[in-house]
PDB file of all heavy atoms in Angstrom:
ATOM      1  N   ALA A 294      -2.152  18.856   0.095  1.00 95.00           N
ATOM      2  CA  ALA A 294      -1.014  18.107  -0.600  1.00 95.00           C
ATOM      3  C   ALA A 294      -1.169  18.185  -2.091  1.00 95.00           C
ATOM      4  O   ALA A 294      -0.192  18.470  -2.708  1.00 95.00           O
ATOM      5  CB  ALA A 294      -1.037  16.725  -0.084  1.00 95.00           C
ATOM      6  N   PHE A 298       1.780  20.124  -4.057  1.00 94.00           N
ATOM      7  CA  PHE A 298       2.772  19.428  -4.684  1.00 94.00           C
ATOM      8  C   PHE A 298       2.483  19.013  -6.034  1.00 94.00           C
ATOM      9  O   PHE A 298       3.438  18.606  -6.774  1.00 94.00           O
ATOM     10  CB  PHE A 298       3.154  18.237  -3.865  1.00 94.00           C
ATOM     11  CG  PHE A 298       3.685  18.529  -2.497  1.00 94.00           C
ATOM     12  CD1 PHE A 298       2.801  18.422  -1.338  1.00 94.00           C
ATOM     13  CD2 PHE A 298       5.039  18.923  -2.325  1.00 94.00           C
ATOM     14  CE1 PHE A 298       3.436  18.825  -0.135  1.00 94.00           C
ATOM     15  CE2 PHE A 298       5.506  19.206  -1.021  1.00 94.00           C
ATOM     16  CZ  PHE A 298       4.721  19.168   0.050  1.00 94.00           C
ATOM     17  N   GLY A 301       4.097  16.188  -8.210  1.00 96.00           N
ATOM     18  CA  GLY A 301       5.201  15.613  -7.479  1.00 96.00           C
ATOM     19  C   GLY A 301       4.508  14.700  -6.332  1.00 96.00           C
ATOM     20  O   GLY A 301       5.415  14.099  -5.508  1.00 96.00           O
ATOM     21  N   LEU A 302       3.342  14.665  -6.168  1.00 97.00           N
ATOM     22  CA  LEU A 302       2.679  13.894  -5.096  1.00 97.00           C
ATOM     23  C   LEU A 302       2.401  12.445  -5.571  1.00 97.00           C
ATOM     24  O   LEU A 302       1.801  12.107  -6.575  1.00 97.00           O
ATOM     25  CB  LEU A 302       1.372  14.549  -4.750  1.00 97.00           C
ATOM     26  CG  LEU A 302       0.600  13.961  -3.499  1.00 97.00           C
ATOM     27  CD1 LEU A 302       1.362  14.195  -2.315  1.00 97.00           C
ATOM     28  CD2 LEU A 302      -0.850  14.663  -3.424  1.00 97.00           C
ATOM     29  N   ILE A 303       2.782  11.487  -4.666  1.00 97.00           N
ATOM     30  CA  ILE A 303       2.399  10.083  -4.795  1.00 97.00           C
ATOM     31  C   ILE A 303       1.790   9.582  -3.508  1.00 97.00           C
ATOM     32  O   ILE A 303       1.713  10.262  -2.454  1.00 97.00           O
ATOM     33  CB  ILE A 303       3.729   9.251  -5.172  1.00 97.00           C
ATOM     34  CG1 ILE A 303       4.725   9.268  -4.014  1.00 97.00           C
ATOM     35  CG2 ILE A 303       4.453   9.716  -6.475  1.00 97.00           C
ATOM     36  CD1 ILE A 303       5.823   8.279  -4.137  1.00 97.00           C
ATOM     37  N   MET A 304       1.287   8.423  -3.692  1.00 96.00           N
ATOM     38  CA  MET A 304       0.898   7.751  -2.461  1.00 96.00           C
ATOM     39  C   MET A 304       1.388   6.270  -2.433  1.00 96.00           C
ATOM     40  O   MET A 304       1.711   5.822  -3.464  1.00 96.00           O
ATOM     41  CB  MET A 304      -0.686   7.762  -2.220  1.00 96.00           C
ATOM     42  CG  MET A 304      -1.459   6.881  -3.097  1.00 96.00           C
ATOM     43  SD  MET A 304      -3.264   6.755  -2.779  1.00 96.00           S
ATOM     44  CE  MET A 304      -3.272   6.071  -1.100  1.00 96.00           C
ATOM     45  N   SER A 305       1.407   5.644  -1.271  1.00 94.00           N
ATOM     46  CA  SER A 305       1.816   4.199  -1.171  1.00 94.00           C
ATOM     47  C   SER A 305       0.667   3.470  -0.436  1.00 94.00           C
ATOM     48  O   SER A 305      -0.113   3.985   0.285  1.00 94.00           O
ATOM     49  CB  SER A 305       3.074   4.107  -0.345  1.00 94.00           C
ATOM     50  OG  SER A 305       2.941   4.604   1.045  1.00 94.00           O
ATOM     51  N   THR A 306       0.660   2.192  -0.789  1.00 94.00           N
ATOM     52  CA  THR A 306      -0.241   1.260  -0.077  1.00 94.00           C
ATOM     53  C   THR A 306       0.422  -0.047   0.028  1.00 94.00           C
ATOM     54  O   THR A 306       1.267  -0.407  -0.826  1.00 94.00           O
ATOM     55  CB  THR A 306      -1.522   1.126  -0.960  1.00 94.00           C
ATOM     56  OG1 THR A 306      -2.481   0.373  -0.219  1.00 94.00           O
ATOM     57  CG2 THR A 306      -1.358   0.432  -2.362  1.00 94.00           C
ATOM     58  N   MET A 315      -7.810   4.738   2.647  1.00 96.00           N
ATOM     59  CA  MET A 315      -6.939   5.763   2.074  1.00 96.00           C
ATOM     60  C   MET A 315      -7.043   5.739   0.593  1.00 96.00           C
ATOM     61  O   MET A 315      -7.054   6.942  -0.027  1.00 96.00           O
ATOM     62  CB  MET A 315      -5.466   5.470   2.529  1.00 96.00           C
ATOM     63  CG  MET A 315      -4.990   6.299   3.746  1.00 96.00           C
ATOM     64  SD  MET A 315      -4.785   8.091   3.388  1.00 96.00           S
ATOM     65  CE  MET A 315      -3.287   8.070   2.377  1.00 96.00           C
ATOM     66  N   ILE A 326      -3.387   9.805  -9.291  1.00 98.00           N
ATOM     67  CA  ILE A 326      -2.230   9.785  -8.559  1.00 98.00           C
ATOM     68  C   ILE A 326      -1.534   8.469  -8.620  1.00 98.00           C
ATOM     69  O   ILE A 326      -2.041   7.423  -8.541  1.00 98.00           O
ATOM     70  CB  ILE A 326      -2.513  10.156  -7.029  1.00 98.00           C
ATOM     71  CG1 ILE A 326      -1.305  10.294  -6.260  1.00 98.00           C
ATOM     72  CG2 ILE A 326      -3.488   9.013  -6.382  1.00 98.00           C
ATOM     73  CD1 ILE A 326      -1.511  10.840  -4.801  1.00 98.00           C
ATOM     74  N   PRO A 327      -0.163   8.474  -8.764  1.00 98.00           N
ATOM     75  CA  PRO A 327       0.596   7.249  -8.738  1.00 98.00           C
ATOM     76  C   PRO A 327       0.460   6.604  -7.446  1.00 98.00           C
ATOM     77  O   PRO A 327       0.764   7.199  -6.439  1.00 98.00           O
ATOM     78  CB  PRO A 327       2.029   7.638  -9.045  1.00 98.00           C
ATOM     79  CG  PRO A 327       1.912   8.921  -9.762  1.00 98.00           C
ATOM     80  CD  PRO A 327       0.624   9.673  -9.067  1.00 98.00           C
ATOM     81  N   VAL A 329       1.933   3.634  -5.321  1.00 97.00           N
ATOM     82  CA  VAL A 329       3.083   2.710  -5.222  1.00 97.00           C
ATOM     83  C   VAL A 329       2.837   1.518  -4.338  1.00 97.00           C
ATOM     84  O   VAL A 329       2.438   1.631  -3.211  1.00 97.00           O
ATOM     85  CB  VAL A 329       4.299   3.513  -4.661  1.00 97.00           C
ATOM     86  CG1 VAL A 329       5.479   2.497  -4.583  1.00 97.00           C
ATOM     87  CG2 VAL A 329       4.609   4.600  -5.630  1.00 97.00           C
ATOM     88  N   ILE A 331       4.816  -1.856  -3.113  1.00 94.00           N
ATOM     89  CA  ILE A 331       6.093  -2.494  -3.052  1.00 94.00           C
ATOM     90  C   ILE A 331       5.809  -4.061  -2.923  1.00 94.00           C
ATOM     91  O   ILE A 331       5.350  -4.492  -1.838  1.00 94.00           O
ATOM     92  CB  ILE A 331       6.932  -2.081  -1.865  1.00 94.00           C
ATOM     93  CG1 ILE A 331       7.205  -0.503  -1.879  1.00 94.00           C
ATOM     94  CG2 ILE A 331       8.268  -2.766  -1.822  1.00 94.00           C
ATOM     95  CD1 ILE A 331       7.847   0.001  -3.210  1.00 94.00           C
ATOM     96  N   LYS A 390      12.070  -3.650   0.873  1.00 90.00           N
ATOM     97  CA  LYS A 390      11.153  -2.623   1.086  1.00 90.00           C
ATOM     98  C   LYS A 390      11.646  -1.112   0.999  1.00 90.00           C
ATOM     99  O   LYS A 390      11.160  -0.347   0.160  1.00 90.00           O
ATOM    100  CB  LYS A 390      10.588  -2.646   2.553  1.00 90.00           C
ATOM    101  CG  LYS A 390       9.806  -3.882   2.793  1.00 90.00           C
ATOM    102  CD  LYS A 390       9.388  -4.153   4.178  1.00 90.00           C
ATOM    103  CE  LYS A 390       8.697  -5.506   4.445  1.00 90.00           C
ATOM    104  NZ  LYS A 390       8.264  -5.699   5.808  1.00 90.00           N
ATOM    105  N   VAL A 391      12.816  -0.912   1.595  1.00 92.00           N
ATOM    106  CA  VAL A 391      13.462   0.399   1.534  1.00 92.00           C
ATOM    107  C   VAL A 391      13.989   0.789   0.173  1.00 92.00           C
ATOM    108  O   VAL A 391      13.620   1.773  -0.408  1.00 92.00           O
ATOM    109  CB  VAL A 391      14.576   0.549   2.531  1.00 92.00           C
ATOM    110  CG1 VAL A 391      15.294   1.924   2.552  1.00 92.00           C
ATOM    111  CG2 VAL A 391      14.010   0.371   4.038  1.00 92.00           C
ATOM    112  N   PRO A 393      13.274  -0.532  -2.820  1.00 95.00           N
ATOM    113  CA  PRO A 393      12.294  -0.403  -3.914  1.00 95.00           C
ATOM    114  C   PRO A 393      11.564   0.953  -3.730  1.00 95.00           C
ATOM    115  O   PRO A 393      11.139   1.554  -4.737  1.00 95.00           O
ATOM    116  CB  PRO A 393      11.379  -1.574  -3.694  1.00 95.00           C
ATOM    117  CG  PRO A 393      12.332  -2.612  -3.089  1.00 95.00           C
ATOM    118  CD  PRO A 393      13.082  -1.852  -2.193  1.00 95.00           C
ATOM    119  N   MET A 394      11.327   1.278  -2.462  1.00 94.00           N
ATOM    120  CA  MET A 394      10.585   2.552  -2.268  1.00 94.00           C
ATOM    121  C   MET A 394      11.412   3.783  -2.658  1.00 94.00           C
ATOM    122  O   MET A 394      10.929   4.728  -3.214  1.00 94.00           O
ATOM    123  CB  MET A 394      10.057   2.746  -0.880  1.00 94.00           C
ATOM    124  CG  MET A 394       9.119   3.898  -0.624  1.00 94.00           C
ATOM    125  SD  MET A 394       7.527   3.608  -1.298  1.00 94.00           S
ATOM    126  CE  MET A 394       7.047   5.206  -1.794  1.00 94.00           C
ATOM    127  N   GLU A 395      12.639   3.662  -2.359  1.00 94.00           N
ATOM    128  CA  GLU A 395      13.548   4.808  -2.783  1.00 94.00           C
ATOM    129  C   GLU A 395      13.685   4.956  -4.189  1.00 94.00           C
ATOM    130  O   GLU A 395      13.683   5.966  -4.840  1.00 94.00           O
ATOM    131  CB  GLU A 395      15.047   4.601  -2.101  1.00 94.00           C
ATOM    132  CG  GLU A 395      15.022   4.838  -0.598  1.00 94.00           C
ATOM    133  CD  GLU A 395      16.363   4.548  -0.020  1.00 94.00           C
ATOM    134  OE1 GLU A 395      17.162   3.951  -0.716  1.00 94.00           O
ATOM    135  OE2 GLU A 395      16.717   4.890   1.029  1.00 94.00           O
ATOM    136  N   ALA A 397      11.293   4.069  -6.275  1.00 96.00           N
ATOM    137  CA  ALA A 397       9.985   4.456  -6.794  1.00 96.00           C
ATOM    138  C   ALA A 397      10.009   5.972  -6.720  1.00 96.00           C
ATOM    139  O   ALA A 397       9.534   6.766  -7.625  1.00 96.00           O
ATOM    140  CB  ALA A 397       8.835   3.842  -5.891  1.00 96.00           C
ATOM    141  N   VAL A 398      10.441   6.542  -5.630  1.00 95.00           N
ATOM    142  CA  VAL A 398      10.445   8.008  -5.387  1.00 95.00           C
ATOM    143  C   VAL A 398      11.347   8.729  -6.490  1.00 95.00           C
ATOM    144  O   VAL A 398      10.950   9.741  -7.180  1.00 95.00           O
ATOM    145  CB  VAL A 398      11.108   8.419  -4.066  1.00 95.00           C
ATOM    146  CG1 VAL A 398      11.407   9.835  -3.976  1.00 95.00           C
ATOM    147  CG2 VAL A 398      10.044   8.024  -3.005  1.00 95.00           C
ATOM    148  N   ALA A 403       9.060  12.112  -7.417  1.00 96.00           N
ATOM    149  CA  ALA A 403       8.286  12.456  -6.268  1.00 96.00           C
ATOM    150  C   ALA A 403       8.914  13.485  -5.282  1.00 96.00           C
ATOM    151  O   ALA A 403      10.111  13.323  -4.941  1.00 96.00           O
ATOM    152  CB  ALA A 403       7.726  11.291  -5.527  1.00 96.00           C
ATOM    153  N   THR A 404       8.133  14.428  -4.795  1.00 95.00           N
ATOM    154  CA  THR A 404       8.558  15.335  -3.752  1.00 95.00           C
ATOM    155  C   THR A 404       7.714  15.201  -2.468  1.00 95.00           C
ATOM    156  O   THR A 404       8.185  15.739  -1.365  1.00 95.00           O
ATOM    157  CB  THR A 404       8.524  16.810  -4.172  1.00 95.00           C
ATOM    158  OG1 THR A 404       7.329  17.108  -4.665  1.00 95.00           O
ATOM    159  CG2 THR A 404       9.554  17.043  -5.356  1.00 95.00           C
ATOM    160  N   ALA A 405       6.612  14.503  -2.571  1.00 95.00           N
ATOM    161  CA  ALA A 405       5.724  14.408  -1.481  1.00 95.00           C
ATOM    162  C   ALA A 405       5.001  13.046  -1.564  1.00 95.00           C
ATOM    163  O   ALA A 405       4.810  12.521  -2.696  1.00 95.00           O
ATOM    164  CB  ALA A 405       4.766  15.480  -1.301  1.00 95.00           C
ATOM    165  N   TRP A 406       4.645  12.487  -0.331  1.00 93.00           N
ATOM    166  CA  TRP A 406       4.194  11.142  -0.266  1.00 93.00           C
ATOM    167  C   TRP A 406       3.006  11.084   0.676  1.00 93.00           C
ATOM    168  O   TRP A 406       3.234  11.470   1.872  1.00 93.00           O
ATOM    169  CB  TRP A 406       5.390  10.284   0.068  1.00 93.00           C
ATOM    170  CG  TRP A 406       5.221   8.860   0.547  1.00 93.00           C
ATOM    171  CD1 TRP A 406       4.011   8.068   0.476  1.00 93.00           C
ATOM    172  CD2 TRP A 406       6.251   8.021   0.969  1.00 93.00           C
ATOM    173  NE1 TRP A 406       4.347   6.805   0.932  1.00 93.00           N
ATOM    174  CE2 TRP A 406       5.640   6.784   1.199  1.00 93.00           C
ATOM    175  CE3 TRP A 406       7.650   8.127   1.202  1.00 93.00           C
ATOM    176  CZ2 TRP A 406       6.355   5.618   1.661  1.00 93.00           C
ATOM    177  CZ3 TRP A 406       8.344   7.082   1.706  1.00 93.00           C
ATOM    178  CH2 TRP A 406       7.709   5.839   1.990  1.00 93.00           C
ATOM    179  N   LEU A 407       1.884  10.660   0.256  1.00 96.00           N
ATOM    180  CA  LEU A 407       0.704  10.389   1.143  1.00 96.00           C
ATOM    181  C   LEU A 407       0.772   9.042   1.640  1.00 96.00           C
ATOM    182  O   LEU A 407       0.880   8.010   0.890  1.00 96.00           O
ATOM    183  CB  LEU A 407      -0.565  10.696   0.374  1.00 96.00           C
ATOM    184  CG  LEU A 407      -0.903  11.972  -0.159  1.00 96.00           C
ATOM    185  CD1 LEU A 407      -2.106  11.977  -1.126  1.00 96.00           C
ATOM    186  CD2 LEU A 407      -1.332  12.815   1.082  1.00 96.00           C
ATOM    187  N   ALA A 408       0.641   8.819   2.957  1.00 93.00           N
ATOM    188  CA  ALA A 408       0.740   7.505   3.589  1.00 93.00           C
ATOM    189  C   ALA A 408      -0.311   7.444   4.599  1.00 93.00           C
ATOM    190  O   ALA A 408      -0.756   8.457   5.206  1.00 93.00           O
ATOM    191  CB  ALA A 408       2.066   7.243   4.261  1.00 93.00           C
ATOM    192  N   GLY A 409      -0.789   6.117   4.909  1.00 91.00           N
ATOM    193  CA  GLY A 409      -2.025   6.002   5.672  1.00 91.00           C
ATOM    194  C   GLY A 409      -1.620   5.555   7.146  1.00 91.00           C
ATOM    195  O   GLY A 409      -2.452   4.821   7.725  1.00 91.00           O
ATOM    196  N   LEU A 410      -0.582   6.101   7.647  1.00 88.00           N
ATOM    197  CA  LEU A 410      -0.168   5.760   9.044  1.00 88.00           C
ATOM    198  C   LEU A 410      -1.224   6.350  10.040  1.00 88.00           C
ATOM    199  O   LEU A 410      -1.749   7.399   9.828  1.00 88.00           O
ATOM    200  CB  LEU A 410       1.285   6.315   9.460  1.00 88.00           C
ATOM    201  CG  LEU A 410       2.353   5.774   8.524  1.00 88.00           C
ATOM    202  CD1 LEU A 410       3.712   6.300   9.021  1.00 88.00           C
ATOM    203  CD2 LEU A 410       2.390   4.184   8.564  1.00 88.00           C
ATOM    204  N   VAL A 423       1.121  15.400  11.194  1.00 91.00           N
ATOM    205  CA  VAL A 423       0.438  15.256  10.020  1.00 91.00           C
ATOM    206  C   VAL A 423       1.502  15.361   8.834  1.00 91.00           C
ATOM    207  O   VAL A 423       1.396  14.641   7.899  1.00 91.00           O
ATOM    208  CB  VAL A 423      -0.633  16.309   9.867  1.00 91.00           C
ATOM    209  CG1 VAL A 423      -1.187  16.331   8.416  1.00 91.00           C
ATOM    210  CG2 VAL A 423      -1.808  16.033  10.776  1.00 91.00           C
ATOM    211  N   ILE A 424       2.496  16.230   9.074  1.00 90.00           N
ATOM    212  CA  ILE A 424       3.431  16.411   8.048  1.00 90.00           C
ATOM    213  C   ILE A 424       4.866  16.105   8.608  1.00 90.00           C
ATOM    214  O   ILE A 424       5.133  16.567   9.773  1.00 90.00           O
ATOM    215  CB  ILE A 424       3.448  17.863   7.566  1.00 90.00           C
ATOM    216  CG1 ILE A 424       2.176  18.261   6.871  1.00 90.00           C
ATOM    217  CG2 ILE A 424       4.627  18.098   6.488  1.00 90.00           C
ATOM    218  CD1 ILE A 424       2.157  19.654   6.449  1.00 90.00           C
ATOM    219  N   GLN A 425       5.601  15.386   7.809  1.00 88.00           N
ATOM    220  CA  GLN A 425       7.012  15.094   8.295  1.00 88.00           C
ATOM    221  C   GLN A 425       7.950  15.396   7.139  1.00 88.00           C
ATOM    222  O   GLN A 425       7.574  15.116   5.936  1.00 88.00           O
ATOM    223  CB  GLN A 425       7.168  13.686   8.549  1.00 88.00           C
ATOM    224  CG  GLN A 425       6.841  13.156  10.014  1.00 88.00           C
ATOM    225  CD  GLN A 425       7.282  11.816  10.320  1.00 88.00           C
ATOM    226  OE1 GLN A 425       6.757  10.827   9.514  1.00 88.00           O
ATOM    227  NE2 GLN A 425       7.975  11.492  11.385  1.00 88.00           N
ATOM    228  N   GLN A 427      11.499  14.452   5.503  1.00 80.00           N
ATOM    229  CA  GLN A 427      12.521  13.440   5.555  1.00 80.00           C
ATOM    230  C   GLN A 427      13.503  13.696   4.328  1.00 80.00           C
ATOM    231  O   GLN A 427      13.118  13.402   3.180  1.00 80.00           O
ATOM    232  CB  GLN A 427      11.839  12.031   5.350  1.00 80.00           C
ATOM    233  CG  GLN A 427      12.615  10.982   6.105  1.00 80.00           C
ATOM    234  CD  GLN A 427      11.875   9.720   6.230  1.00 80.00           C
ATOM    235  OE1 GLN A 427      11.363   9.204   5.156  1.00 80.00           O
ATOM    236  NE2 GLN A 427      11.509   9.202   7.353  1.00 80.00           N
ATOM    237  N   ARG A 429      14.747  15.326   1.298  1.00 82.00           N
ATOM    238  CA  ARG A 429      13.978  16.249   0.443  1.00 82.00           C
ATOM    239  C   ARG A 429      12.499  15.851   0.280  1.00 82.00           C
ATOM    240  O   ARG A 429      11.817  16.474  -0.570  1.00 82.00           O
ATOM    241  CB  ARG A 429      14.775  16.294  -0.793  1.00 82.00           C
ATOM    242  CG  ARG A 429      16.185  16.733  -0.692  1.00 82.00           C
ATOM    243  CD  ARG A 429      16.876  16.788  -2.066  1.00 82.00           C
ATOM    244  NE  ARG A 429      16.440  17.863  -2.881  1.00 82.00           N
ATOM    245  CZ  ARG A 429      16.846  18.040  -4.173  1.00 82.00           C
ATOM    246  NH1 ARG A 429      17.688  17.144  -4.699  1.00 82.00           N
ATOM    247  NH2 ARG A 429      16.419  18.994  -4.942  1.00 82.00           N
ATOM    248  N   MET A 430      12.062  14.930   0.930  1.00 89.00           N
ATOM    249  CA  MET A 430      10.824  14.418   0.740  1.00 89.00           C
ATOM    250  C   MET A 430       9.775  14.819   1.917  1.00 89.00           C
ATOM    251  O   MET A 430      10.193  14.976   3.056  1.00 89.00           O
ATOM    252  CB  MET A 430      10.713  12.799   0.787  1.00 89.00           C
ATOM    253  CG  MET A 430       9.383  12.094   0.718  1.00 89.00           C
ATOM    254  SD  MET A 430       8.571  12.410  -0.824  1.00 89.00           S
ATOM    255  CE  MET A 430       9.679  11.620  -1.965  1.00 89.00           C
ATOM    256  N   THR A 431       8.573  15.132   1.596  1.00 93.00           N
ATOM    257  CA  THR A 431       7.535  15.599   2.617  1.00 93.00           C
ATOM    258  C   THR A 431       6.579  14.375   2.552  1.00 93.00           C
ATOM    259  O   THR A 431       6.004  13.969   1.609  1.00 93.00           O
ATOM    260  CB  THR A 431       6.905  16.826   2.142  1.00 93.00           C
ATOM    261  OG1 THR A 431       7.798  17.912   2.028  1.00 93.00           O
ATOM    262  CG2 THR A 431       5.822  17.187   3.243  1.00 93.00           C
ATOM    263  N   LYS A 432       6.348  13.948   3.771  1.00 93.00           N
ATOM    264  CA  LYS A 432       5.360  12.843   4.020  1.00 93.00           C
ATOM    265  C   LYS A 432       4.144  13.453   4.705  1.00 93.00           C
ATOM    266  O   LYS A 432       4.237  14.303   5.589  1.00 93.00           O
ATOM    267  CB  LYS A 432       5.903  11.789   4.928  1.00 93.00           C
ATOM    268  CG  LYS A 432       6.882  10.886   4.257  1.00 93.00           C
ATOM    269  CD  LYS A 432       7.277   9.647   5.164  1.00 93.00           C
ATOM    270  CE  LYS A 432       8.180   8.762   4.454  1.00 93.00           C
ATOM    271  NZ  LYS A 432       8.550   7.577   5.399  1.00 93.00           N
ATOM    272  N   VAL A 433       2.939  13.174   4.122  1.00 95.00           N
ATOM    273  CA  VAL A 433       1.646  13.681   4.574  1.00 95.00           C
ATOM    274  C   VAL A 433       0.797  12.594   5.068  1.00 95.00           C
ATOM    275  O   VAL A 433       0.672  11.558   4.310  1.00 95.00           O
ATOM    276  CB  VAL A 433       1.004  14.535   3.526  1.00 95.00           C
ATOM    277  CG1 VAL A 433      -0.358  15.107   4.191  1.00 95.00           C
ATOM    278  CG2 VAL A 433       1.839  15.605   3.046  1.00 95.00           C
ATOM    279  N   HIS A 434       0.306  12.559   6.376  1.00 95.00           N
ATOM    280  CA  HIS A 434      -0.536  11.492   6.896  1.00 95.00           C
ATOM    281  C   HIS A 434      -1.875  12.021   7.045  1.00 95.00           C
ATOM    282  O   HIS A 434      -2.279  12.454   8.180  1.00 95.00           O
ATOM    283  CB  HIS A 434       0.106  11.004   8.226  1.00 95.00           C
ATOM    284  CG  HIS A 434       1.599  10.770   8.133  1.00 95.00           C
ATOM    285  ND1 HIS A 434       2.534  11.373   8.913  1.00 95.00           N
ATOM    286  CD2 HIS A 434       2.274   9.847   7.327  1.00 95.00           C
ATOM    287  CE1 HIS A 434       3.702  10.859   8.655  1.00 95.00           C
ATOM    288  NE2 HIS A 434       3.618  10.013   7.689  1.00 95.00           N
ATOM    289  N   PRO A 435      -2.820  11.841   6.151  1.00 95.00           N
ATOM    290  CA  PRO A 435      -4.201  12.472   6.140  1.00 95.00           C
ATOM    291  C   PRO A 435      -5.067  11.840   7.291  1.00 95.00           C
ATOM    292  O   PRO A 435      -5.803  12.490   7.850  1.00 95.00           O
ATOM    293  CB  PRO A 435      -4.773  12.166   4.818  1.00 95.00           C
ATOM    294  CG  PRO A 435      -3.594  11.961   3.861  1.00 95.00           C
ATOM    295  CD  PRO A 435      -2.628  11.356   4.850  1.00 95.00           C
TER     296      PRO A 435
END
Side-chain angles (χ1 to χ4, degrees):
F298 298 100
L302 184 64
I303 64 172
M304 73 173 296
S305 62
T306 185
M315 265 290 286
I326 188 171
V329 176
I331 304 302
K390 300 175 184 179
V391 177
M394 191 66 214
E395 290 178 345
V398 167
T404 55
W406 171 3
L407 289 168
L410 301 183
V423 172
I424 298 178
Q425 275 187 306
Q427 210 170 58
R429 300 177 70 185
M430 176 67 64
T431 301
K432 288 187 177 180
V433 183
H434 308 123

